[in-house]
Amino acid sequence: MAKFPKVREQHIAVFGETGSGKTVLVSSFFGPTQEGAYKNDLWDLVADDAGHGNRLYKNYLGMRAKAEAPLPTRFEATTYYFSVKLKGGDNDAAKKRPFDVLRLAWHDYPGDWFENEPSTPTEKDRRIDSFRSLLRSDVAILLVDGQKLLDHRGEEHKYLKSLMFNFRHGLLQLKDDLLEDGPIVEFPRVWIFALSKADLLPDWDVDTFRDLVILNAAEDVEHLRSTVAGLIDTPAALSIGEDFMLLSSAKFKLKSGGAQTVDIDLTQRIGLDLILPVASILPLQRRVQWNDKFDIPLKVLNSLADGAELLAAGLAGGKFAPVEKFLAKMPKAGKALPILAVAAQLVGPKLKEMHEQARAQNDYLRATLTQFKRDLEQGVDDRVIRNPK
């Protein structure tokens, strides 16, 4: 009998106004992994829907070969499914791993739906149905358009306040429908503000971006947080205005002598390699932090990082010797979820040691997840991503 691969699915929801670069981002996330020269000795990335995969790769090739950015989609909610298929499926380590495939569901919510009122009852129903599909997301990414920040130089507050209002107003429009059965348990609990087109602001790091948002729109961020908190069960388990990152699909620059012609350097990307770590590792870390700080019902903990035990088991490994030493240092609340606590606290030299050990043992799952965690650490060190302490 054929053996079916075990799948662990993680979800991200990407929100951004029209022209903020959502289509370019997802195309540049997927496209490079399909090139013949691309090498990854741990896993392969495939699009579960061949049509979506071909369209995204075509977008990427258009940027690479013709310097043509893909046209933005309008009024079209799309979910892209990508599978990280681990290698080494026939070795002993693979037979014991909790899953073989890490699937990423990337929900793309149309910017037009935050900027315009629905024109028909049918369109309103489509918005509600599309948003409900986002409620399974582990992480939400809210794009702040770097080009619009440049266009509003010296008056960035006008753009940021408008952006926050549009997001908040869009949620309020759906509030009655979403709360039809009471406060929502399953919901994106980690909302990241991401500077898209970060290549346009080469002197900025994530702290520069964060400071700009807080200086110009702190009250608006809090209003957005209050709106989201009003939708969910246990709003203490919610992060908005704490996580920031930089994103850039490529380096875009005008060609000399041609005002409308651009060069697109797809090798100069920022933050896209953190998408998989953010979707898989960040919810697990946040679940442990919130479990330590707050008295959160188990149903909420399970919903905000559903399947976290599988990720933690794959990350920490059942036979890793220093587990007891980690537990001895954990506060009482953390011991309620020992495998999660151990996995979340793997950092620095110990994390590097575990990654090297996993590679030596051909444990592709543990090597992949420890690499994701190392990538997050490097992103913090490089000031590409910022998370609360």
Side-chain angles (χ1 to χ4, degrees):
M1 182 179 294
K3 177 179 177 290
F4 292 99
K6 294 167 287 186
V7 178
R8 171 66 217 139
E9 191 167 280
Q10 299 292 118
H11 292 245
I12 62 169
V14 181
F15 299 92
E17 293 184 320
T18 305
S20 59
K22 298 190 301 298
T23 303
V24 175
L25 279 173
V26 69
S27 300
S28 295
F29 164 78
F30 177 69
T33 66
Q34 306 306 299
E35 293 184 294
Y38 179 79
K39 302 295 181 184
N40 189 311
D41 61 346
L42 295 177
W43 46 266
D44 295 310
L45 186 70
V46 300
D48 291 7
D49 184 302
H52 283 168
N54 287 335
R55 186 174 73 186
L56 294 176
Y57 191 43
K58 180 181 178 181
N59 289 343
Y60 174 78
L61 292 175
M63 290 187 286
R64 190 189 72 181
K66 300 180 180 180
E68 294 178 353
L71 295 175
T73 55
R74 294 180 61 83
F75 300 105
E76 180 183 349
T78 305
T79 297
Y80 303 97
Y81 289 92
F82 304 104
S83 286
V84 177
K85 294 190 174 182
L86 300 168
K87 296 183 178 181
D90 297 328
N91 64 22
D92 290 339
K95 296 174 183 177
K96 300 175 183 178
R97 62 195 186 197
F99 58 91
D100 307 297
V101 175
L102 178 65
R103 178 179 293 147
L104 174 67
W106 179 311
H107 301 284
D108 188 345
Y109 194 81
D112 309 75
W113 285 358
F114 274 130
E115 300 165 45
N116 302 296
E117 300 288 338
S119 57
T120 65
T122 300
E123 184 181 330
K124 180 180 179 182
D125 290 341
R126 282 177 55 213
R127 295 190 192 196
I128 295 169
D129 290 341
S130 295
F131 198 83
R132 282 182 176 141
S133 73
L134 303 182
L135 302 188
R136 295 181 59 200
S137 296
D138 303 280
V139 173
I141 297 177
L142 278 63
L143 299 182
V144 177
D145 191 332
Q147 181 62 62
K148 290 191 176 179
L149 286 177
L150 285 175
D151 294 341
H152 290 80
R153 190 184 294 274
E155 296 183 324
E156 292 90 349
H157 64 283
K158 292 183 178 179
Y159 164 60
L160 291 170
K161 287 178 177 295
S162 172
L163 178 69
M164 301 301 167
F165 174 81
N166 285 339
F167 283 137
R168 179 169 169 263
H169 184 63
L171 290 171
L172 289 173
Q173 284 183 307
L174 304 175
K175 182 175 182 178
D176 290 343
D177 297 286
L178 296 175
L179 293 180
E180 187 175 357
D181 298 321
I184 302 167
V185 173
E186 191 172 16
F187 201 76
R189 300 281 175 154
V190 181
W191 294 61
I192 302 174
F193 289 115
L195 175 64
S196 69
K197 307 175 189 175
D199 58 289
L200 297 175
L201 297 155
D203 296 330
W204 286 26
D205 60 23
V206 72
D207 294 316
T208 309
F209 171 54
R210 176 229 187 201
D211 292 350
L212 182 87
V213 172
I214 298 303
L215 177 64
N216 290 278
E219 292 182 359
D220 305 273
V221 170
E222 182 55 34
H223 289 326
L224 176 61
R225 187 192 187 285
S226 297
T227 298
V228 173
L231 297 172
I232 63 175
D233 191 325
T234 317
L238 176 66
S239 174
I240 295 182
E242 301 174 59
D243 299 81
F244 296 82
M245 69 183 300
L246 307 182
L247 287 172
S248 176
S249 306
K251 179 70 175 179
F252 290 75
K253 61 180 180 180
L254 293 176
K255 286 184 177 180
S256 58
Q260 300 302 318
T261 308
V262 297
D263 279 321
I264 303 178
D265 184 353
L266 290 161
T267 65
Q268 296 194 44
R269 297 150 31 109
I270 302 171
L272 286 180
D273 293 338
L274 296 178
I275 294 294
L276 286 170
V278 160
S280 56
I281 303 299
L282 194 59
L284 184 156
Q285 293 178 323
R286 207 55 51 85
R287 171 173 171 171
V288 172
Q289 291 173 4
W290 287 332
N291 184 67
D292 289 346
K293 290 181 180 180
F294 307 113
D295 183 17
I296 298 175
L298 185 60
K299 65 177 181 178
V300 175
L301 284 175
N302 287 338
S303 71
L304 64 89
D306 187 25
E309 289 82 358
L310 294 179
L311 286 167
L315 178 62
K319 296 182 179 180
F320 187 59
V323 166
E324 291 78 11
K325 293 181 181 180
F326 277 105
L327 291 180
K329 298 177 182 179
M330 291 297 297
K332 183 177 180 181
K335 294 182 182 180
L337 300 165
I339 189 64
L340 302 186
V342 171
Q345 293 219 350
L346 286 170
V347 295
K350 185 58 65 178
L351 179 62
K352 180 181 179 182
E353 175 189 331
M354 178 172 278
H355 176 70
E356 292 172 349
Q357 180 190 82
R359 280 186 170 274
Q361 296 173 349
N362 293 319
D363 187 338
Y364 289 85
L365 174 58
R366 190 149 53 104
T368 295
L369 294 178
T370 51
Q371 184 60 58
F372 284 172
K373 203 165 192 304
R374 294 184 73 196
D375 290 342
L376 277 180
E377 282 192 357
Q378 190 62 52
V380 171
D381 290 344
D382 292 343
R383 297 188 177 181
V384 174
I385 188 167
R386 180 188 176 97
N387 308 126
K389 304 297 184 182

